[in-house]
Amino acid sequence: MQKAIKNRIPIHVDLSPNRDEVYSGICLKSNDEIFIFNCFNEETKEFDGYAIIRNYEINKYSEWDKEELEEINNNNSNDFVNKLPLEKMNNMFECLSELKNEKLLAIFNESDNDSYFVGKIENLSKKNIELKLLNEKAEWIENENIKIKEITYIGFRTSYEKQLQNKTLNNETDF
């Protein structure tokens, strides 16, 4: 894994049997707690935002082969390298602390693999995060308290969060 990180080699990360998910992108950091990567968007064939996964979720990874590397339409990965304070992001709480000013986060927790929360951080403690939630229509709704130890995935600065953010601004909702 360290070779893939050092050389910025795109990889696939397989989460089965924990979850039926395979994520693709460039790993920026991996330790015993977390795995931070620059996501690859299969639809646009570009790199798109970031994700943080609990390392115990990862069953295996594989480097992309030559054909997969040729599928990249726009290798914009340099737009994402060295943009995060990785030295301060060693566990989920530290990651959330560094992300507290993000406009929107997408968070999955271990109790539900099929749905997730999108919102902005209202409050953060060592054990819990309170998110101000945004619905699919980009309308602010209630707050949700989530135990940090139950968070399995955090996504941010992807095209999905950016689209929701733009809808929210277009709705002239207070951001």
Side-chain angles (χ1 to χ4, degrees):
M1 177 66 73
Q2 295 309 315
K3 178 183 142 215
I5 293 171
K6 181 181 178 203
N7 296 323
R8 304 286 186 231
I9 298 169
I11 61 174
H12 299 293
V13 178
D14 189 348
L15 303 187
S16 64
N18 298 325
R19 286 191 283 138
D20 188 24
E21 293 289 341
V22 174
Y23 294 112
S24 299
I26 295 175
C27 182
L28 303 174
K29 181 174 189 167
S30 179
N31 64 24
D32 291 342
E33 298 279 326
I34 55 158
F35 180 88
I36 302 173
F37 66 105
N38 172 211
C39 306
F40 185 74
N41 185 320
E42 292 290 336
E43 291 176 21
T44 64
K45 304 294 185 194
E46 293 183 318
F47 293 93
D48 182 21
Y50 301 95
I52 302 166
I53 302 173
R54 292 225 185 248
N55 218 338
Y56 71 78
E57 291 262 315
I58 298 170
N59 186 37
K60 61 185 174 185
Y61 79 96
S62 59
E63 294 181 5
W64 288 15
D65 61 29
K66 185 179 177 187
E67 287 177 11
E68 290 169 316
L69 290 170
E70 290 173 355
E71 288 182 21
I72 300 172
N73 281 344
N74 174 24
N75 190 352
N76 60 337
S77 62
N78 284 336
D79 295 348
F80 298 94
V81 175
N82 300 322
K83 304 288 186 200
L84 297 175
L86 296 173
E87 70 283 354
K88 297 178 183 177
M89 300 172 82
N90 297 302
N91 57 50
M92 280 295 186
F93 173 74
E94 289 179 3
C95 290
L96 289 165
S97 294
E98 292 302 317
L99 299 174
K100 65 182 173 233
N101 294 321
E102 285 293 321
K103 300 285 187 202
L104 288 177
L105 302 174
I107 294 180
F108 287 80
N109 67 19
E110 59 190 23
S111 64
D112 186 352
N113 291 331
D114 296 324
S115 60
Y116 54 95
F117 302 103
V118 176
K120 64 180 180 174
I121 297 175
E122 288 285 299
N123 291 301
L124 178 64
S125 70
K126 288 272 190 190
K127 294 185 178 190
N128 297 298
I129 180 174
E130 180 183 359
L131 278 185
K132 176 72 173 168
L133 297 181
L134 195 65
N135 67 17
E136 306 85 30
K137 297 176 186 175
E139 299 166 334
W140 292 111
I141 54 176
E142 76 274 358
N143 290 5
E144 181 74 26
N145 286 303
I146 304 167
K147 291 180 179 169
I148 293 174
K149 69 180 182 180
E150 295 178 358
I151 295 173
T152 57
Y153 176 100
I154 302 169
F156 58 103
R157 299 186 199 166
T158 69
S159 55
Y160 178 70
E161 287 93 20
K162 288 177 184 174
Q163 284 175 347
L164 274 176
Q165 183 179 338
N166 288 338
K167 279 185 183 178
T168 301
L169 294 174
N170 290 339
N171 288 344
E172 299 178 340
T173 306
D174 181 32
F175 213 99

